[in-house]
Amino acid sequence: MAKAAPAEQLKLLELQGLDARLKSLFNRRRSLESDPRITDLEAALAVANGELGAAKMAVHDAELELKRSEADVEQVAARIERDEARLNSGTGLSKDLVALQKDLVSLNKRRSDLEDVELEVLERLDTLRLRQATQQQIVDDIQGSFGVIRAELDEQLAENGAEATTVRGARAEFADGLDAGMLAIYEKTLGKRGVGAARLFHGTSEGSGMQLSPGDLAEIKAAAEDDIVFCPDSGCILVRSADWA
């Protein structure tokens, strides 16, 4: 059976305290890195950006439609201007002038219809631009919230990392002063069980939280004070306090 002086074994409780703190800091870091608020905002931002993209495309299409409509109106207006100039000049056969007058009536009707279309497109474009601006604001708000939370988490992660570095340094310095054989057993137990050592207090293992059976307590009582004993439930090293039984 492996051995270490009782006073040396008691030091394992301090080492376990440092390892427990490191584990807590590690779990805290994982929790910060997977903060659900970030996940939710990323999902919301993806949806909002998709809707913003659709709104921008709708505005783009409407702007192209407006340009085509304006071009159509300009083309008909130019035709009307030319025909009116010809009509006002009075040159040409009378039948041609009559036909020209009829064409002008038709062209003016055509221009009126095209201007109505142009107005409808312009009104629709205004609505689409407003929708795009509203959607852009939604994206900006989400990005703003994301930035605030990200900064908060980065600050907490930095604090977590700084403390972990300090605790690791203290742990390494403390471990250097321990019995090498006992430390090797502790490290192996810690890696396998997740807990390296715990106190045996009033017959209860603080590693498992369980009261040991009379048979297990009898075996521990029969062991020498410098024997390294283990918790039958958790498998960690049991450090016997002065009133462990």
Side-chain angles (χ1 to χ4, degrees):
M1 180 177 288
K3 293 180 177 292
E8 195 72 8
Q9 292 188 41
L10 281 172
K11 295 178 182 178
L12 290 179
L13 297 179
E14 185 173 348
L15 183 63
Q16 178 60 61
L18 292 170
D19 283 331
R21 183 56 188 158
L22 285 173
K23 183 177 181 179
S24 175
L25 288 169
F26 174 77
N27 290 336
R28 173 61 176 158
R29 184 175 190 84
R30 289 180 60 186
S31 177
L32 290 171
E33 290 174 341
S34 59
D35 191 303
R37 293 177 299 171
I38 291 295
T39 304
D40 291 344
L41 283 174
E42 286 176 340
L45 186 58
V47 172
N49 274 325
E51 293 180 355
L52 177 59
K56 287 180 177 179
M57 183 59 68
V59 168
H60 175 72
D61 291 344
E63 287 174 341
L64 291 179
E65 186 178 354
L66 179 62
K67 288 181 180 179
R68 290 193 296 269
S69 181
E70 288 172 341
D72 289 343
V73 171
E74 289 174 1
Q75 185 179 15
V76 172
R79 174 80 178 277
I80 290 173
E81 185 177 355
R82 289 195 303 270
D83 287 357
E84 285 181 341
R86 286 178 57 195
L87 184 63
N88 292 334
S89 69
T91 60
L93 299 175
S94 61
K95 66 176 183 178
D96 292 335
L97 295 176
V98 170
L100 195 57
Q101 286 178 325
K102 291 181 179 179
D103 286 343
L104 281 169
V105 171
S106 177
L107 286 171
N108 278 299
K109 175 64 169 62
R110 174 62 176 162
R111 180 171 64 177
S112 177
D113 291 342
L114 289 174
E115 287 174 342
D116 288 343
V117 171
E118 181 183 1
L119 181 60
E120 184 276 326
V121 174
L122 186 58
E123 291 175 347
R124 178 155 45 87
L125 180 57
D126 287 341
T127 300
L128 291 173
R129 283 172 173 164
L130 178 60
R131 184 182 303 170
Q132 177 183 332
T134 300
Q135 194 60 40
Q136 182 66 62
Q137 186 61 54
I138 292 173
V139 170
D140 292 344
D141 289 345
I142 294 174
Q143 289 177 331
S145 297
F146 186 93
V148 170
I149 294 174
R150 185 69 267 170
E152 172 192 326
L153 292 176
D154 287 344
E155 181 180 356
Q156 294 179 29
L157 284 168
E159 292 174 355
N160 179 283
E163 184 177 355
T165 298
T166 300
V167 175
R168 276 194 294 268
R171 199 257 188 208
E173 183 178 354
F174 185 77
D176 282 343
L178 298 180
D179 177 85
M182 180 188 70
L183 179 61
I185 295 172
Y186 170 86
E187 298 284 17
K188 182 177 181 180
T189 304
L190 178 67
K192 185 176 181 181
R193 304 292 184 176
V195 176
R199 187 173 63 154
L200 177 59
F201 183 69
H202 288 251
T204 297
S205 166
E206 293 184 348
S208 65
M210 302 289 291
Q211 178 75 31
L212 270 62
S213 69
D216 290 330
L217 289 173
E219 286 185 16
I220 294 174
K221 187 173 184 180
E225 288 187 354
D226 62 350
D227 285 341
I228 295 178
V229 298
F230 297 87
C231 172
D233 296 309
S234 68
C236 70
I237 296 171
L238 281 181
V239 178
R240 289 162 281 179
S241 59
D243 51 355
W244 66 268

